[in-house]
Amino acid sequence: MTTPRKLFIKTYGCQMNVYDSERMAEALGASGYVGTDRAEDADMILLNTCHIREKAAEKVYSELGRLKPLKVARPDLKIGIAGCVAQAEGEEIMRRAPVVDLVVGPQTYHRLPAMEAKVRAGGRAVDTEFPAEDKFEHLPRGPRAKRGVTAFLTVQEGCDKFCAFCVVPYTRGAEVSRPAARLLSEARDLVARGVREITLLGQNVNGYHGEGPDGRSWTLARLVRELAGIDGLWRIRYTTSHPNDMSDDLIAAHGEVDVLMPYLHLPVQSGSDKILKAMNRKHSVAQYLALLDRLRTVRPDLALSGDFIVGFPGEEDADFEQTLSLVRAVGYHSAFSFKYSARPGTPAAERPVLPDTVLDARLQALQALITEQQRAAQQAMVGREVDVLFEKPGRMAGQMVGKSNYLHAVHATGADLTPGQLRRVRITASAPNSLAGIAV
Ligand code: 5AD
Ligand code: SF4
């Protein structure tokens, strides 16, 4: 018997990259690789990179600097760059970093086994095409690993929205939705392997318009309703959404589909109409607020999360104040905020940037407000009972960790708790980033 080769993957960025890393591991599993948690043991190291914000490429080069001694010690070691930095800077990486053996973009990793064979034979390989074929249809399947309680499922990729700051339309390409029949069968397979909660992924997931088994175009709402019929699938989530694709049927689904969790990540980016326009978001603050009203009418306990960019070119103090007002008006359960970072090739990259001191101050002010809201939302859970899907044992004996419907991390104690259970938990305390409780 030959010993299997070992694969170490380091994943940066979004949940879609996490999903892609799993697929790449499966694809290389078919070539005889097994996963390892230790880069030192690996025969192949893949960095699955993110290009969304600053210093992405620099991070990759400094990581490569750290990996170089491993390669010097074991010239057999192969190093690959995958993901969005690979897509954006493939040839440049090959030129600048001789330690790199292969570069593969997010749309071509089904070709990894062939690329791997080529680099094993001593060559180098680059593939950053946007091929006509669907990678998911052509992915080799390695041994089917046992699954945890929760899983991601990519249903849509790419983006046609072209927000002025965003690199995704260039790194991930145009919007493509996967056929619904494939997704339903993958979801059934995940459930058969123990998954109880599926998060549907897409850069613009609520713009999903995949072909249905009936030959018609299905919306995300239609897909969600169909998935909800799978026995043993207890929870469905989806991320990330654009306000303009929040269709009537999807809003209705939030009131009608009980396995669709009451949590929605709906980025707005800014609370100023002037800045929204400059960002090419194509909606106003009032339209966003009206949308939230409709969602809260059908699902009053909906927990909202969002993304914000501070210091977009042209953002004045008054614009930023409007972002703070919007956050106060909405009351987010959690939110992510970022300093604007000019991305090469995007329209906003041509515009004058604000001083970094301004960005820092605004980020601090916004994050303080968001943290305050998040703490208050968590504190409001104390004394209430929530459903928790348990994922793994906690650090303390007898403790189990899981997520509430609203995506809080919950540490619970109680008799006979095991991963994969969905239990009522009475919340007894709120820590900065999690809740504690007792299973009832
Ligand atoms: N600068 C700062 N933040 C950005 N994001 C996307 N592009 C940029 C950029 N150029 C943020 C947005 C998006 C999240 C995933 O990352 O808020 O919703
Ligand atoms: Fe990074 Fe965005 Fe690409 Fe995800 S989609 S890997 S966050 S650049």
Side-chain angles (χ1 to χ4, degrees), residues 39-40 42 45 64-79 98-101:
E40 301 76 33
I45 295 176
L64 285 171
R66 278 193 291 279
L67 293 176
K68 200 172 168 187
L70 291 180
K71 177 115 178 169
V72 171
R74 283 192 299 123
D76 269 7
L77 169 68
K78 303 298 175 196
I79 296 179
V99 293
V100 172
D101 299 286

Side-chain angles (χ1 to χ4, degrees), residues 369-417:
L369 176 60
I370 288 168
T371 305
E372 189 186 307
Q373 288 196 342
Q374 186 176 323
R375 299 259 159 94
Q378 275 192 206
Q379 194 59 41
M381 302 306 293
V382 175
R384 286 179 54 186
E385 283 184 12
V386 289
D387 290 328
V388 176
L389 179 62
F390 288 113
E391 293 172 22
K392 56 180 191 231
R395 249 180 275 150
M396 278 169 319
Q399 196 187 47
M400 196 60 68
V401 189
K403 297 271 164 50
S404 76
N405 286 357
Y406 309 104
L407 211 58
H408 306 108
V410 180
H411 299 251
T413 51
D416 309 323
L417 297 182

Side-chain angles (χ1 to χ4, degrees), residues 29 58 122 129 161 249 258 280 350 359 377 387 419 432:
E58 286 75 7
E129 265 188 62
K161 293 267 188 297
D249 62 344
D258 58 352
N280 194 31
E350 314 291 316
L359 269 63
D387 290 328

Side-chain angles (χ1 to χ4, degrees), residues 14 52-54 165-168 240 265 267 269 281 306-310 336-343 346:
C14 64
I52 194 90
R53 279 175 296 273
E54 231 174 344
F165 52 81
C166 188
V167 80
V168 166
T240 284
H265 183 66
Q269 314 295 355
R281 292 287 291 178
D307 291 335
F308 293 90
I309 296 176
V310 301
F336 304 91
S337 45
F338 311 101
K339 288 198 281 186
Y340 170 71
S341 130
R343 306 281 67 214
T346 59

Side-chain angles (χ1 to χ4, degrees), residues 316-333:
E316 294 172 288
D317 283 338
D319 299 304
F320 177 64
E321 283 303 323
Q322 290 175 1
T323 296
L324 294 176
S325 306
L326 174 65
V327 171
R328 281 190 207 102
V330 171
Y332 286 93
H333 221 78

